[in-house]
Amino acid sequence: MNSRPEISVLMANHNGSRHLGDAITSLQIQTFPSWELVLVDDASKDRSVALATRAARDDQRIRVIAQSVNCGPAAARNRAIDAARGRWLAVFDSDDIMRPERLSRLHARAAADGAQIVADNLLLFSDDRRTARPFLRGNAARHPRWIGLAEFVDSNSLYARQPDLGYLKPFLDGDLLHRSGVRYDERLRIGEDYDFLARLLTSGRKLLLEPAPLYLYRRHPASTSYRLRPEHIRALMEAHNRFLAGAYLLGGDELRALGRRERSLRSMLLFDDVISLLKAGRYWRAAGMILTAPQIWPLLMRPLRARVVPRIGRRTPDAQQLAAATGR
């Protein structure tokens, strides 16, 4: 593998052997031929390294970097960035899948519109592949559009009008990334994707959204996005403060969006305090906090809604589309 690949696909993996084969296979059938996979294994205890090494032995476009100490997904992605040789960089998680045309379409979209940061819509699918739905729907999923920092930050706040755009997996101009010096914050174990993209979107940069759901995002109980603990929220608040300290020339819309996000993080901490009091049987104290903090009332209703709204147990049209895309 002597020639420089056009696209470096960056994959961080930790104990992902169950789905790793599907992820690699979906990359190998891409219609865009000039790519490499930089797979950084973050001290897995399962068969991940063996599976990845065997794949690399059969396909010279795959490189495996095995870390002996678990440092978290942000550190693994940073190591992949530093090792990447491609003109473009594409973030890809080891439990997800790409449509065969994904790299080709994102590369063409970036070239046609002069974009340095592109992200496509997601197709969220259940682990059993019976249910699937697009992440962005309605007007947000009809036409390509540019997204600036204020809209991106607002999507990451509680009660946002659109889904959290921090879940999107970016396709990046490698030169932009290296010039900017932006890297993943290795102090974060959750929310590192949002923080990384937010810092890239400073200085007036914008993200071009491709509305087609080319990235298939697996939802399962082991997903890190399901586990948000108080220490995670505090780490997000600390990262938020570091962002404010390091960002310059922010406009009024951006500052207001950042203020709303800070208030939403504080609400999440308050909500966790209420839940802790309820678990400890301190009901009157919890009730007092609830009465004085109406901003957390919708959060308290979420568990009830989850029980009342029935789960979809049949194949949806989007799940049928998923089966067609993955051959299952």
Side-chain angles (χ1 to χ4, degrees), residues 54-127:
R54 183 165 65 246
R57 189 166 53 244
D58 297 335
D59 190 335
Q60 294 185 348
R61 296 171 296 180
I62 299 173
R63 288 190 285 149
V64 180
I65 301 171
Q67 300 188 147
S68 58
V69 178
N70 179 262
C71 299
R77 291 195 187 102
N78 283 341
R79 189 163 183 187
I81 290 171
D82 293 338
R85 301 185 303 121
R87 169 73 174 80
W88 292 89
L89 309 178
V91 176
F92 183 33
D93 287 347
S94 63
D95 54 354
D96 295 334
I97 302 171
M98 290 189 194
R99 291 189 185 279
E101 71 275 20
R102 180 175 188 254
L103 294 182
S104 179
R105 288 185 59 173
L106 293 183
H107 188 269
R109 174 65 67 193
D113 293 284
Q116 294 179 298
I117 310 170
V118 185
D120 47 340
N121 197 357
L122 311 174
L123 186 68
L124 309 180
F125 70 99
S126 58
D127 210 11

Coordinates of all heavy atoms in Angstrom, one line a residue, residues 54-127:
R54 N -6.7 -10.3 11.4 CA -7.0 -11.2 10.3 C -7.5 -10.5 9.1 O -7.1 -10.7 7.9 CB -8.0 -12.3 10.7 CG -8.2 -13.4 9.6 CD -8.9 -14.6 10.1 NE -10.3 -14.3 10.6 CZ -10.7 -14.4 11.9 NH1 -9.8 -14.8 12.8 NH2 -11.9 -14.2 12.2
A55 N -8.4 -9.5 9.3 CA -8.9 -8.7 8.2 C -7.8 -7.9 7.5 O -7.7 -7.8 6.3 CB -10.0 -7.7 8.7
A56 N -6.8 -7.4 8.3 CA -5.7 -6.6 7.8 C -4.8 -7.5 7.0 O -4.2 -7.1 6.0 CB -5.0 -5.9 8.9
R57 N -4.7 -8.7 7.4 CA -3.8 -9.7 6.7 C -4.3 -10.0 5.3 O -3.6 -10.1 4.3 CB -3.7 -11.0 7.5 CG -2.6 -11.9 6.9 CD -2.3 -13.1 7.9 NE -3.5 -13.8 8.4 CZ -3.9 -13.8 9.6 NH1 -3.3 -13.1 10.6 NH2 -5.0 -14.4 10.0
D58 N -5.7 -9.9 5.2 CA -6.3 -10.2 3.9 C -6.5 -9.0 3.0 O -6.8 -9.1 1.8 CB -7.6 -10.9 4.1 CG -7.5 -12.3 4.8 OD1 -6.4 -12.9 4.6 OD2 -8.4 -12.7 5.4
D59 N -6.4 -7.8 3.6 CA -6.7 -6.5 2.9 C -5.7 -5.5 3.4 O -5.8 -5.0 4.5 CB -8.2 -6.1 3.3 CG -8.6 -4.9 2.4 OD1 -7.8 -4.2 1.9 OD2 -9.9 -4.7 2.3
Q60 N -4.8 -5.1 2.5 CA -3.7 -4.2 2.9 C -4.2 -2.8 3.1 O -3.4 -2.0 3.6 CB -2.6 -4.2 1.8 CG -1.9 -5.6 1.6 CD -0.8 -5.5 0.6 OE1 -0.7 -4.6 -0.1 NE2 0.0 -6.5 0.6
R61 N -5.4 -2.5 2.8 CA -5.9 -1.2 3.1 C -6.3 -1.0 4.6 O -6.6 0.1 5.0 CB -7.2 -0.9 2.3 CG -7.0 -0.9 0.8 CD -8.3 -0.9 0.0 NE -9.1 -2.0 0.2 CZ -10.3 -2.2 -0.4 NH1 -10.8 -1.3 -1.1 NH2 -10.9 -3.3 -0.1
I62 N -6.2 -2.1 5.4 CA -6.6 -2.0 6.8 C -5.3 -2.0 7.6 O -4.4 -2.8 7.4 CB -7.5 -3.2 7.2 CG1 -8.8 -3.2 6.3 CG2 -7.8 -3.2 8.6 CD1 -9.6 -4.4 6.5
R63 N -5.2 -1.1 8.5 CA -4.1 -1.0 9.5 C -4.7 -1.1 10.9 O -5.7 -0.4 11.2 CB -3.3 0.3 9.4 CG -2.5 0.4 8.1 CD -1.6 1.5 8.1 NE -2.2 2.8 7.9 CZ -1.9 4.0 8.4 NH1 -0.9 4.0 9.3 NH2 -2.5 5.1 8.1
V64 N -4.1 -1.9 11.8 CA -4.5 -2.1 13.1 C -3.5 -1.5 14.1 O -2.3 -1.9 14.0 CB -4.8 -3.6 13.4 CG1 -5.3 -3.7 14.8 CG2 -5.8 -4.1 12.4
I65 N -3.9 -0.7 15.0 CA -3.1 -0.2 16.1 C -3.7 -0.6 17.4 O -4.8 -0.2 17.7 CB -3.0 1.4 16.0 CG1 -2.4 1.8 14.7 CG2 -2.1 1.9 17.2 CD1 -2.4 3.3 14.5
A66 N -3.0 -1.5 18.1 CA -3.5 -2.1 19.4 C -2.9 -1.3 20.6 O -1.7 -1.4 20.7 CB -3.3 -3.6 19.4
Q67 N -3.8 -0.7 21.4 CA -3.3 -0.1 22.6 C -3.4 -1.0 23.8 O -4.4 -1.8 23.9 CB -4.2 1.2 22.9 CG -4.1 2.2 21.8 CD -4.8 3.5 22.1 OE1 -4.4 4.6 21.7 NE2 -5.8 3.5 22.9
S68 N -2.4 -1.0 24.6 CA -2.4 -2.0 25.7 C -3.1 -1.4 27.0 O -3.5 -2.2 27.9 CB -0.9 -2.3 26.1 OG -0.2 -1.1 26.5
V69 N -3.4 -0.1 27.0 CA -4.1 0.5 28.1 C -5.3 1.2 27.5 O -5.3 1.9 26.5 CB -3.2 1.6 28.8 CG1 -4.0 2.3 29.9 CG2 -1.9 0.9 29.3
N70 N -6.5 1.0 28.2 CA -7.7 1.6 27.8 C -7.7 3.1 28.1 O -7.6 3.5 29.3 CB -8.9 0.9 28.5 CG -10.2 1.6 28.1 OD1 -10.8 2.4 28.8 ND2 -10.7 1.2 26.9
C71 N -7.8 4.0 27.1 CA -7.7 5.4 27.3 C -9.0 6.1 26.9 O -9.1 7.3 27.0 CB -6.5 6.0 26.5 SG -4.9 5.3 26.9
G72 N -10.0 5.4 26.3 CA -11.2 6.0 25.9 C -11.3 6.3 24.5 O -10.3 6.3 23.8
P73 N -12.5 6.5 23.9 CA -12.7 6.6 22.5 C -12.0 7.9 21.9 O -11.6 7.9 20.8 CB -14.2 6.7 22.3 CG -14.8 7.1 23.7 CD -13.8 6.5 24.7
A74 N -12.0 9.0 22.7 CA -11.4 10.2 22.2 C -9.9 10.0 22.0 O -9.4 10.4 20.9 CB -11.6 11.3 23.2
A75 N -9.2 9.4 22.9 CA -7.8 9.1 22.7 C -7.5 8.2 21.5 O -6.6 8.4 20.8 CB -7.2 8.5 24.0
A76 N -8.4 7.2 21.4 CA -8.2 6.2 20.3 C -8.4 7.0 18.9 O -7.7 6.7 18.0 CB -9.2 5.1 20.4
R77 N -9.4 7.8 18.8 CA -9.7 8.6 17.6 C -8.5 9.5 17.3 O -8.1 9.7 16.1 CB -11.0 9.3 17.7 CG -12.2 8.4 17.6 CD -13.5 9.2 17.3 NE -14.6 8.4 17.5 CZ -15.5 8.4 18.5 NH1 -15.2 9.2 19.5 NH2 -16.5 7.6 18.6
N78 N -8.0 10.2 18.3 CA -6.8 11.0 18.1 C -5.6 10.3 17.6 O -4.9 10.8 16.7 CB -6.4 11.7 19.4 CG -7.4 12.9 19.8 OD1 -8.1 13.4 18.9 ND2 -7.4 13.3 21.0
R79 N -5.4 9.1 18.1 CA -4.3 8.3 17.6 C -4.6 7.9 16.1 O -3.6 7.9 15.3 CB -4.1 7.0 18.4 CG -2.8 6.3 18.1 CD -2.4 5.3 19.1 NE -1.2 4.7 18.8 CZ -0.6 3.7 19.4 NH1 -1.2 3.2 20.5 NH2 0.5 3.1 19.0
A80 N -5.8 7.6 15.8 CA -6.2 7.3 14.4 C -5.9 8.5 13.5 O -5.4 8.4 12.4 CB -7.6 6.8 14.3
I81 N -6.3 9.7 14.0 CA -6.1 10.9 13.2 C -4.6 11.1 12.9 O -4.2 11.4 11.8 CB -6.6 12.2 14.0 CG1 -8.1 12.1 14.0 CG2 -6.1 13.5 13.3 CD1 -8.8 13.2 14.9
D82 N -3.8 10.9 13.9 CA -2.3 11.1 13.8 C -1.7 10.1 12.8 O -0.7 10.4 12.1 CB -1.6 11.0 15.1 CG -2.0 12.2 16.0 OD1 -2.4 13.3 15.5 OD2 -1.9 12.1 17.3
A83 N -2.3 8.9 12.7 CA -1.8 7.9 11.8 C -2.3 8.0 10.4 O -1.8 7.3 9.5 CB -2.0 6.5 12.4
A84 N -3.4 8.7 10.2 CA -4.1 8.7 8.9 C -3.2 9.4 7.8 O -2.5 10.3 8.1 CB -5.4 9.5 9.1
R85 N -3.4 8.8 6.6 CA -2.6 9.4 5.5 C -3.5 10.0 4.4 O -3.0 10.5 3.4 CB -1.8 8.2 4.8 CG -0.8 7.6 5.8 CD 0.1 6.6 5.1 NE -0.7 5.5 4.5 CZ -0.7 5.2 3.2 NH1 0.1 5.9 2.4 NH2 -1.4 4.3 2.7
G86 N -4.8 9.9 4.6 CA -5.7 10.3 3.5 C -5.9 11.8 3.5 O -5.7 12.5 4.4
R87 N -6.4 12.2 2.3 CA -6.8 13.6 2.1 C -8.0 14.0 2.9 O -8.2 15.1 3.4 CB -7.0 13.9 0.6 CG -7.6 15.2 0.2 CD -6.7 16.3 0.3 NE -7.3 17.6 -0.1 CZ -8.1 18.3 0.5 NH1 -8.5 17.9 1.8 NH2 -8.6 19.4 0.0
W88 N -8.9 13.0 3.0 CA -10.2 13.2 3.8 C -10.2 12.2 4.9 O -9.6 11.1 4.8 CB -11.4 13.0 2.8 CG -11.5 14.1 1.8 CD1 -11.0 14.1 0.6 CD2 -12.2 15.3 2.0 NE1 -11.3 15.3 -0.1 CE2 -12.1 16.1 0.8 CE3 -13.0 15.9 3.0 CZ2 -12.7 17.3 0.6 CZ3 -13.6 17.1 2.8 CH2 -13.4 17.8 1.6
L89 N -10.9 12.6 6.0 CA -11.0 11.7 7.1 C -12.5 11.4 7.4 O -13.3 12.4 7.4 CB -10.4 12.3 8.4 CG -8.9 12.8 8.2 CD1 -8.4 13.5 9.5 CD2 -8.0 11.7 7.8
A90 N -12.8 10.2 7.6 CA -14.2 9.8 7.9 C -14.3 9.0 9.2 O -13.6 8.0 9.3 CB -14.8 8.9 6.7
V91 N -15.1 9.5 10.1 CA -15.2 8.8 11.4 C -16.3 7.7 11.3 O -17.3 7.9 10.7 CB -15.7 9.8 12.5 CG1 -15.9 9.1 13.8 CG2 -14.6 10.9 12.7
F92 N -15.9 6.5 11.8 CA -16.8 5.3 11.7 C -16.7 4.5 12.9 O -15.6 4.1 13.3 CB -16.3 4.6 10.4 CG -17.1 3.4 10.1 CD1 -18.5 3.3 10.3 CD2 -16.5 2.3 9.5 CE1 -19.3 2.2 9.9 CE2 -17.3 1.2 9.1 CZ -18.6 1.1 9.4
D93 N -17.8 4.2 13.6 CA -17.7 3.4 14.8 C -17.8 1.9 14.5 O -18.4 1.5 13.5 CB -18.9 3.8 15.8 CG -18.7 5.2 16.4 OD1 -17.6 5.7 16.4 OD2 -19.7 5.7 17.0
S94 N -17.2 1.1 15.4 CA -17.0 -0.3 15.1 C -18.2 -1.1 15.2 O -18.2 -2.3 14.8 CB -15.9 -0.9 16.0 OG -16.3 -0.8 17.3
D95 N -19.3 -0.6 15.7 CA -20.6 -1.3 15.8 C -21.6 -0.8 14.8 O -22.8 -1.2 14.8 CB -21.2 -1.3 17.2 CG -21.3 0.1 17.8 OD1 -20.9 1.1 17.1 OD2 -21.9 0.3 18.8
D96 N -21.2 0.0 13.9 CA -22.1 0.6 12.9 C -21.8 0.0 11.5 O -20.9 -0.8 11.3 CB -22.0 2.1 12.9 CG -22.5 2.7 14.2 OD1 -23.3 2.1 14.9 OD2 -22.1 3.8 14.6
I97 N -22.6 0.5 10.5 CA -22.5 0.0 9.1 C -22.6 1.2 8.2 O -23.3 2.2 8.5 CB -23.7 -1.0 8.8 CG1 -23.6 -2.1 9.8 CG2 -23.6 -1.5 7.4 CD1 -24.8 -3.1 9.7
M98 N -21.9 1.1 7.0 CA -22.1 2.1 6.0 C -22.8 1.6 4.8 O -22.7 0.4 4.5 CB -20.7 2.6 5.5 CG -19.8 3.4 6.4 SD -18.4 3.9 5.4 CE -17.3 4.5 6.7
R99 N -23.6 2.4 4.2 CA -24.2 2.0 2.9 C -23.0 1.9 1.9 O -22.1 2.7 2.0 CB -25.2 3.0 2.4 CG -26.5 3.0 3.2 CD -27.6 3.8 2.6 NE -28.8 3.9 3.3 CZ -29.7 3.0 3.4 NH1 -29.6 1.9 2.7 NH2 -30.8 3.2 4.1
P100 N -23.1 1.1 0.9 CA -22.0 0.9 -0.1 C -21.6 2.2 -0.8 O -20.4 2.4 -1.1 CB -22.5 -0.1 -1.1 CG -23.6 -0.9 -0.3 CD -24.2 0.1 0.6
E101 N -22.5 3.1 -1.0 CA -22.2 4.4 -1.7 C -21.8 5.5 -0.8 O -21.6 6.6 -1.3 CB -23.4 4.8 -2.6 CG -24.6 5.3 -1.8 CD -25.6 4.2 -1.3 OE1 -25.1 3.0 -1.2 OE2 -26.7 4.5 -1.0
R102 N -21.7 5.3 0.5 CA -21.5 6.4 1.4 C -20.3 7.3 1.1 O -20.3 8.5 1.0 CB -21.5 5.9 2.9 CG -21.3 7.1 3.9 CD -21.3 6.6 5.3 NE -21.3 7.8 6.2 CZ -20.3 8.2 6.9 NH1 -19.2 7.5 6.9 NH2 -20.4 9.3 7.7
L103 N -19.1 6.6 1.1 CA -17.9 7.4 0.9 C -17.9 8.1 -0.4 O -17.5 9.3 -0.5 CB -16.7 6.5 1.0 CG -16.4 5.9 2.4 CD1 -15.1 5.0 2.3 CD2 -16.3 6.9 3.4
S104 N -18.4 7.5 -1.5 CA -18.5 8.1 -2.8 C -19.4 9.3 -2.8 O -19.0 10.4 -3.3 CB -19.0 7.1 -3.8 OG -19.1 7.7 -5.1
R105 N -20.5 9.3 -2.1 CA -21.4 10.4 -2.1 C -21.0 11.5 -1.3 O -21.1 12.7 -1.6 CB -22.8 9.9 -1.7 CG -23.5 9.0 -2.8 CD -24.9 8.7 -2.4 NE -25.8 9.8 -2.2 CZ -27.1 9.7 -2.0 NH1 -27.7 8.5 -2.0 NH2 -27.8 10.8 -1.8
L106 N -20.4 11.2 -0.1 CA -19.8 12.3 0.7 C -18.7 13.0 0.0 O -18.5 14.2 0.1 CB -19.4 11.8 2.1 CG -20.5 11.2 3.0 CD1 -20.0 10.8 4.3 CD2 -21.6 12.3 3.2
H107 N -17.8 12.2 -0.6 CA -16.7 12.8 -1.3 C -17.2 13.7 -2.5 O -16.7 14.9 -2.6 CB -15.8 11.7 -1.9 CG -14.5 12.2 -2.5 ND1 -14.4 12.5 -3.8 CD2 -13.3 12.4 -1.9 CE1 -13.1 12.9 -4.0 NE2 -12.4 12.8 -2.9
A108 N -18.2 13.3 -3.2 CA -18.7 14.1 -4.3 C -19.5 15.3 -3.7 O -19.4 16.4 -4.3 CB -19.7 13.2 -5.1
R109 N -20.2 15.2 -2.6 CA -20.9 16.3 -2.0 C -19.9 17.4 -1.6 O -20.1 18.6 -1.8 CB -21.7 15.8 -0.8 CG -22.4 16.9 0.0 CD -23.4 17.7 -0.8 NE -24.5 16.8 -1.1 CZ -25.5 17.2 -2.0 NH1 -25.4 18.3 -2.7 NH2 -26.5 16.3 -2.3
A110 N -18.8 17.0 -1.0 CA -17.8 17.9 -0.5 C -17.2 18.7 -1.7 O -17.0 19.9 -1.7 CB -16.7 17.2 0.3
A111 N -16.9 17.9 -2.8 CA -16.3 18.6 -4.0 C -17.3 19.5 -4.7 O -16.9 20.6 -5.1 CB -15.8 17.5 -4.9
A112 N -18.5 19.1 -4.8 CA -19.5 19.9 -5.5 C -19.8 21.2 -4.8 O -20.1 22.3 -5.4 CB -20.8 19.1 -5.7
D113 N -19.8 21.2 -3.5 CA -20.2 22.4 -2.7 C -19.0 23.1 -2.0 O -19.3 24.1 -1.2 CB -21.3 22.0 -1.6 CG -22.6 21.5 -2.3 OD1 -23.3 22.4 -2.7 OD2 -22.8 20.3 -2.3
G114 N -17.8 22.6 -2.2 CA -16.7 23.3 -1.6 C -16.7 23.2 -0.1 O -16.3 24.1 0.6
A115 N -17.2 22.1 0.4 CA -17.4 21.9 1.9 C -16.1 21.2 2.5 O -15.5 20.3 1.9 CB -18.6 21.0 2.2
Q116 N -15.7 21.7 3.7 CA -14.6 21.0 4.4 C -15.1 20.1 5.5 O -14.3 19.3 6.0 CB -13.7 22.1 5.0 CG -13.0 23.0 3.9 CD -12.1 24.0 4.6 OE1 -12.7 24.9 5.3 NE2 -10.9 24.0 4.4
I117 N -16.3 20.3 5.9 CA -16.9 19.4 6.9 C -18.3 19.0 6.4 O -19.2 19.8 6.2 CB -17.1 20.1 8.3 CG1 -15.8 20.8 8.7 CG2 -17.6 19.1 9.3 CD1 -16.0 21.7 9.9
V118 N -18.5 17.7 6.2 CA -19.8 17.1 5.7 C -20.2 16.0 6.7 O -19.4 15.3 7.3 CB -19.6 16.5 4.3 CG1 -21.0 16.1 3.8 CG2 -19.0 17.5 3.4
A119 N -21.5 15.9 6.9 CA -22.1 14.8 7.7 C -23.4 14.4 7.0 O -24.2 15.2 6.6 CB -22.3 15.2 9.1
D120 N -23.6 13.1 7.0 CA -24.9 12.6 6.4 C -25.9 12.2 7.5 O -25.5 12.1 8.7 CB -24.6 11.3 5.6 CG -23.7 10.3 6.2 OD1 -23.0 10.7 7.2 OD2 -23.7 9.2 5.8
N121 N -27.1 12.1 7.1 CA -28.2 11.6 8.0 C -27.8 10.2 8.5 O -27.1 9.5 7.9 CB -29.5 11.7 7.3 CG -30.7 11.6 8.3 OD1 -30.5 11.5 9.5 ND2 -31.9 11.7 7.7
L122 N -28.4 9.8 9.6 CA -28.2 8.5 10.1 C -29.5 7.7 10.0 O -30.6 8.2 10.0 CB -27.9 8.5 11.6 CG -26.8 9.5 12.1 CD1 -26.8 9.5 13.7 CD2 -25.5 9.1 11.6
L123 N -29.4 6.4 9.8 CA -30.5 5.5 9.9 C -30.3 4.7 11.2 O -29.4 3.9 11.3 CB -30.6 4.5 8.7 CG -31.8 3.6 8.7 CD1 -33.1 4.5 8.4 CD2 -31.7 2.5 7.6
L124 N -31.1 5.0 12.2 CA -31.0 4.3 13.5 C -31.7 3.0 13.4 O -32.8 2.9 12.9 CB -31.7 5.1 14.6 CG -31.3 6.6 14.7 CD1 -32.1 7.3 15.8 CD2 -29.8 6.8 14.9
F125 N -31.0 1.9 13.8 CA -31.6 0.6 13.7 C -31.4 -0.2 15.0 O -30.4 0.0 15.7 CB -31.1 -0.2 12.5 CG -29.7 -0.6 12.5 CD1 -29.4 -1.9 12.9 CD2 -28.6 0.2 12.2 CE1 -28.0 -2.4 12.9 CE2 -27.3 -0.2 12.2 CZ -27.0 -1.5 12.6
S126 N -32.3 -1.0 15.3 CA -32.2 -1.9 16.5 C -31.3 -3.0 16.2 O -31.0 -3.4 15.1 CB -33.6 -2.4 16.9 OG -34.1 -3.2 15.8
D127 N -30.8 -3.6 17.3 CA -29.8 -4.6 17.2 C -30.3 -5.9 16.5 O -29.6 -6.6 15.8 CB -29.3 -5.0 18.6 CG -27.8 -5.5 18.6 OD1 -27.2 -5.3 17.6 OD2 -27.4 -6.0 19.6

